[in-house]
Amino acid sequence: MSEPSPVPLPAAPGPLRPVAGFGAAASVLIALVAAVNLALSWSVWHTLGVVRNYATRKAVAADLAAADRLTSTLTILAAGLLVLAGVVFLLWLWHARLNAEALSPVRHRRARGWVIGAWFCPGVNLRFPH
C-alpha cells in the first residue's frame, strides 16, 4: 500500500483587495433603499387618500398633482438608490471573491463570473449540485 501524498502547504496569499469600504457603502445604501421605500409606501397611501378626497370633492386637482409629484419623485429616488446599492454590493462581492481566490490554495468549483452571473440567473443555483 502506498503512502498518501503530503498535503501541499498553501502558497503565500496574492494581493488582497480592500472590501471594508464597499461593504460599508453597500450597507448604508441598502438601509437608504429601505428608508426611501418606507417613505414611498406612505406616499402611495397618502395619494390614495387624496384620490378618495377628490372623489368626494374634499380635494382639488392641485392636491392630486402634488401627491402624484411626491410619489413620482420617491419612486425615481428608490429606483436609483436600488440600482446604486446593487452595483456597490456586486463590487463588494467581486472583491471578496478575488480575496478568496488569493487566500485559497485550491481551485474554486465555479468560475469567477458566477459571482455576478448567479444574481441574473437565479434558478441555476437549484440545478448545480452542492
Side-chain angles (χ1 to χ4, degrees), residues 30-84:
I30 291 169
L32 282 173
V33 168
V36 170
N37 278 314
L38 283 174
L40 180 59
S41 296
W42 171 85
S43 173
V44 169
W45 280 105
H46 171 71
T47 302
L48 177 63
V50 172
V51 168
R52 287 181 177 158
N53 288 341
Y54 183 77
T56 60
R57 310 254 189 241
K58 294 179 186 173
V60 295
D63 297 331
L64 283 174
D68 188 49
R69 273 193 309 275
L70 177 62
T71 301
S72 297
T73 302
L74 287 173
T75 300
I76 291 168
L77 181 62
L81 281 173
L82 181 64
V83 168
L84 184 61

